[in-house]
Amino acid sequence: MNRLRLPYVEDLVGMVVPLDRARITTVGRAGDLAFPDNPYLHRRVLEIGWSGGRWWMKNVGSWTTVRFGSRAEPIGVLLGRGRSIVLPGGDTHVVFAASRTEYEVVVRLPVEDDHHVAPPPQVSTEVTIGPRALTLEQIQMLVAFAEPILRSTCVSVSEIASMRDVEQRLGWSSAKLRRKLDYLCFKLDDAGVAGLVSDSVVPASRRRLRLVEWALGTGVIDRGGLRVLDVRSPLSVETVSEIDE
């Protein structure tokens, strides 16, 4: 039997899990392909299943952003929380992170599995360490950084607002914005969100971009959140009361 002809998912260091059309295959801390030693990693990050003549992959991690791509192109396509994609025949490399650990897995499919498109399978999510609530000012800061993206579908995620733009938009001093940004990055880092603080405990150079990417990818902010920019209130905003188990 030629192992490379079978559909399977692997972690590139020896763990291989065959894909079965009759069941959902999971990847995560307690998945079929398991990474059990990281409490910040969701019990299930990915679900891979067969439906309507196609293989599908879904991001089921509430606080985890997932990127995917082929070996021949950058792994830069974002798969947001709750989103599904059709998997093409061949290899799909998938990258996700929890706390300071980044994971890469590869879904390998026979090319002949590339047929017609049908609706994705209905899959469920399952408690993982993560941020439980953000204050109003933290939400405002995230929305202000992401405002160019939220107001235009033609703007890429890299075109976020500058520090000066956000200061002016919110009426904050430079010192206040930097303090708020530092605090939120460390808070989310403690909750297992990767890419916001470096290993030397110095804020990551691209943390604003990573912060916006995380907030958009997990649904913490969306276009409807633009209305909070004009709110001036000390009240906190509960973004999540429960985190998937």
Side-chain angles (χ1 to χ4, degrees):
M1 180 180 295
N2 185 348
R3 171 173 165 266
L4 294 179
R5 296 293 295 171
L6 294 175
Y8 64 87
V9 57
E10 66 166 314
D11 65 356
L12 297 177
V13 291
M15 186 163 26
V16 177
V17 176
L19 299 177
D20 187 336
R21 295 186 182 188
R23 63 183 296 273
I24 297 292
T25 299
T26 60
V27 178
R29 193 175 78 239
D32 299 304
L33 182 61
F35 304 95
D37 299 326
N38 187 347
Y40 296 99
L41 183 65
H42 292 288
R43 290 170 56 83
R44 298 200 305 269
V45 176
L46 301 173
E47 293 187 343
I48 304 167
W50 177 267
S51 178
R54 297 299 297 264
W55 286 103
W56 293 81
M57 180 174 69
K58 183 173 184 178
N59 177 0
V60 294
S62 292
W63 298 100
T64 302
T65 52
V66 173
R67 290 191 172 279
F68 66 93
S70 70
R71 180 176 297 177
E73 59 191 24
I75 304 176
V77 182
L78 183 67
L79 182 63
R81 179 186 66 175
R83 299 292 181 87
S84 299
I85 60 163
V86 175
L87 292 169
D91 295 350
T92 300
H93 292 249
V94 186
V95 175
F96 52 91
S99 188
R100 306 297 175 84
T101 306
E102 183 173 87
Y103 303 89
E104 181 177 357
V105 301
V106 182
V107 183
R108 304 192 191 275
L109 304 177
V111 175
E112 58 265 27
D113 278 341
D114 211 359
H115 301 305
H116 63 281
V117 177
Q122 295 298 311
V123 292
S124 62
T125 62
E126 281 210 291
V127 163
T128 299
I129 299 172
R132 294 193 176 272
L134 300 182
T135 66
L136 174 62
E137 288 192 331
Q138 288 168 342
I139 293 291
Q140 287 177 318
M141 180 174 64
L142 290 171
V143 172
F145 277 125
E147 187 173 10
I149 303 164
L150 296 174
R151 291 196 182 279
S152 175
T153 57
C154 299
V155 175
S156 73
V157 73
S158 63
E159 298 182 55
I160 62 175
S162 67
M163 294 287 285
R164 183 178 295 276
D165 290 339
V166 173
E167 291 165 14
Q168 295 176 346
R169 186 70 172 90
L170 299 178
W172 293 0
S173 67
S174 175
K176 177 176 179 177
L177 178 57
R178 292 184 184 281
R179 184 174 66 252
K180 293 286 187 181
L181 181 59
D182 287 345
Y183 180 82
L184 181 56
C185 285
F186 282 112
K187 173 182 178 177
L188 295 177
D189 179 73
D190 286 342
V193 179
L196 299 176
V197 177
S198 72
D199 290 336
S200 59
V201 199
V202 177
S205 60
R206 293 172 58 82
R207 64 179 180 169
R208 287 184 293 120
L209 181 59
R210 173 65 184 123
L211 192 62
V212 169
E213 179 185 82
W214 170 82
L216 293 171
T218 57
V220 170
I221 61 174
D222 56 24
R223 187 169 286 109
L226 287 166
R227 66 183 183 273
V228 306
L229 291 175
D230 298 318
V231 175
R232 297 292 180 264
S233 168
L235 297 177
S236 66
V237 175
E238 294 290 329
T239 57
V240 148
S241 58
E242 287 187 7
I243 300 185
D244 72 308
E245 183 166 301

